[in-house]
Amino acid sequence: AWQQEFVDIVNGTKKELPPWREVNHEINLIDEGKQYKYHLPCCLQALQEQLCEKTNRYLNLKWWEPQAATQAAPLLCIPKKDGTLQTALDV
């Protein structure tokens, strides 16, 4: 049956590492040259006032600083169950 053909990969985790093999390729998981375009934070209209208040509060407290940059992490605006704003950086 097909199980015998694939016994080496469907038979659980082995307790030892596979034999060492010389690696002659690479997998680039991070593209250092990639440039991301800037987008203003998008937020549900119901949360926009809270985002503005939070942004101003963080700027006044010097937690956030406006900076010129070629790239930035996207800011996610997530509504909590109680209707208040939760922000998160997508890094």
Side-chain angles (χ1 to χ4, degrees), residues 21-59:
R21 295 184 178 102
E22 184 176 346
V23 177
N24 59 3
H25 70 281
E26 64 181 50
I27 300 171
N28 295 316
L29 298 177
I30 298 174
D31 183 358
E32 298 290 339
K34 183 152 179 88
Q35 294 290 315
Y36 298 92
K37 294 183 179 180
Y38 176 76
H39 297 283
L40 289 171
C42 295
C43 197
L44 295 173
Q45 189 170 1
L47 298 175
Q48 285 180 353
E49 185 176 333
Q50 291 180 49
L51 176 61
C52 186
E53 291 171 2
K54 184 173 190 172
T55 301
N56 289 332
R57 184 172 64 246
Y58 284 10
L59 289 171

